[in-house]
Amino acid sequence: MRIIFNADDFGYSRAVNFGIIDSYRYGAIRSTTLMTNMPCAKHAALLAKENEGLGVGIHLNLTEGRPLTNCCSSFTDSSGNFFGRSLLEKLAEINLTEVEAELTAQINWAITRDIDVTHLDSHHHIHLHDGVFDVACSLSKKFDIPMRLNNKRLHPERKSPDKLVTEFGAEKATLEFLTALLTRLENEAAGRNPIVEIMCHPGYVDANLLSGSSHNIARVHEQKVLSSAALRDFLEIRGIETVSYMVLRQ
């Protein structure tokens, strides 16, 4: 069994960036996704270049911060900020041409900084919702990169892990929960060698994270588990390989 521990929200804040990098250097993280429109995206891009073994995808974003383009009036407020999670209630009203322009800009932001983009996923899973999903699939095909799908939203032509697991985190950010989860996944694999993504949010905490995200202190607990020697030992003993989305491009 191959596991992609993917760290979402790279670029959200410096503390999140450092937490993800430490989880790569000392732990199980081999993959992350970059929020290219966020204030600390440039800092994340620099860290990515210093840690070339870390696979970096794009965390497509229509709900946090400000857009990179000036053509997003159907999903930004009067101050030019994204609506936040309330966008999920307005999806029928948004202009998908504007969505495509913004998401293309977010991908190109990384490409122009020599980041070898491994895959696409999104903040608040916005790319899996009606309309936006078609745009994301089109961009995945255009840039020839895999994308995160889930067990309900599939696409026969797009490469994706065999399974997406979102259970790890918050009160379940413990070593005991994670090793039990991995054991369950092993049993489900039954001799096969699937690629399973476990979505996670490791990070440290700073003022930007505390003021901007309700998912803050829990990130420290995730970082601790994902960087622990006990998890490394468990993975080695069980023969579980940790990989990035690059395995889907081979």
Side-chain angles (χ1 to χ4, degrees):
M1 182 172 65
R2 291 164 290 176
I3 297 291
I4 301 174
F5 288 103
N6 187 82
D8 287 2
D9 298 351
F10 199 37
Y12 192 101
S13 76
R14 289 176 65 87
V16 170
N17 293 347
F18 283 128
I20 289 171
I21 290 299
D22 279 356
S23 298
Y24 162 69
R25 288 178 176 172
Y26 310 115
I29 292 295
R30 296 292 176 269
S31 177
T32 188
T33 31
L34 175 61
M35 303 175 78
T36 58
N37 73 309
M38 296 299 283
C40 292
K42 290 182 179 178
H43 177 245
L46 290 173
L47 290 174
K49 288 187 176 182
E50 295 171 1
N51 297 271
E52 294 182 355
L54 178 65
V56 180
I58 303 301
H59 204 47
L60 300 173
N61 183 13
L62 298 174
T63 57
E64 187 85 29
R66 300 177 64 87
L68 294 180
T69 61
N70 296 316
C71 59
C72 303
S73 60
S74 69
F75 48 92
T76 54
D77 61 23
S78 59
S79 298
N81 297 307
F82 288 137
F83 286 128
R85 286 179 180 268
S86 65
L87 179 67
L88 300 177
E89 303 168 4
K90 309 174 190 290
L91 288 177
E93 306 168 17
I94 66 175
N95 184 314
L96 294 179
T97 300
E98 293 181 351
V99 168
E100 182 175 7
E102 173 60 24
L103 298 186
T104 299
Q106 292 180 17
I107 298 168
N108 281 328
W109 187 99
I111 292 173
T112 58
R113 286 162 176 79
D114 296 323
I115 292 175
D116 186 10
V117 177
T118 59
H119 71 288
L120 304 177
D121 60 33
S122 67
H123 201 47
H124 299 141
H125 300 292
I126 191 68
H127 79 292
L128 297 176
H129 289 267
D130 289 343
V132 182
F133 179 71
D134 294 331
V135 173
C137 287
S138 175
L139 293 176
S140 172
K141 181 177 181 179
K142 175 182 177 180
F143 288 97
D144 192 25
I145 49 179
M147 64 185 290
R148 173 191 286 167
L149 301 175
N150 65 12
N151 306 322
K152 295 180 180 179
R153 180 71 84 171
L154 303 173
H155 193 289
E157 297 179 2
R158 306 318 314 145
K159 291 183 179 179
S160 180
D162 299 299
K163 185 180 183 68
L164 172 65
V165 178
T166 61
E167 298 167 48
F168 177 68
E171 70 278 1
K172 296 179 179 178
T174 67
L175 179 65
E176 293 74 19
F177 178 84
L178 184 54
T179 54
L181 172 62
L182 290 166
T183 300
R184 189 191 82 200
L185 292 170
E186 277 188 303
N187 293 335
E188 291 175 358
R192 295 178 293 111
N193 189 29
I195 300 172
V196 178
E197 178 181 354
I198 297 180
M199 187 181 74
C200 50
H201 298 81
Y204 301 132
V205 176
D206 57 12
N208 285 347
L209 183 65
L210 282 174
S211 63
S213 175
S214 59
H215 188 60
N216 41 58
I217 302 299
R219 294 177 192 254
V220 178
H221 300 301
E222 291 191 41
Q223 198 282 331
K224 180 179 178 181
V225 172
L226 292 165
S227 299
S228 68
L231 178 61
R232 292 196 301 272
D233 291 345
F234 178 88
L235 294 169
E236 183 177 357
I237 291 170
R238 304 297 278 267
I240 298 173
E241 184 181 4
T242 55
V243 298
S244 77
Y245 265 81
M246 289 299 291
V247 298
L248 292 171
R249 296 174 56 185
Q250 296 171 356

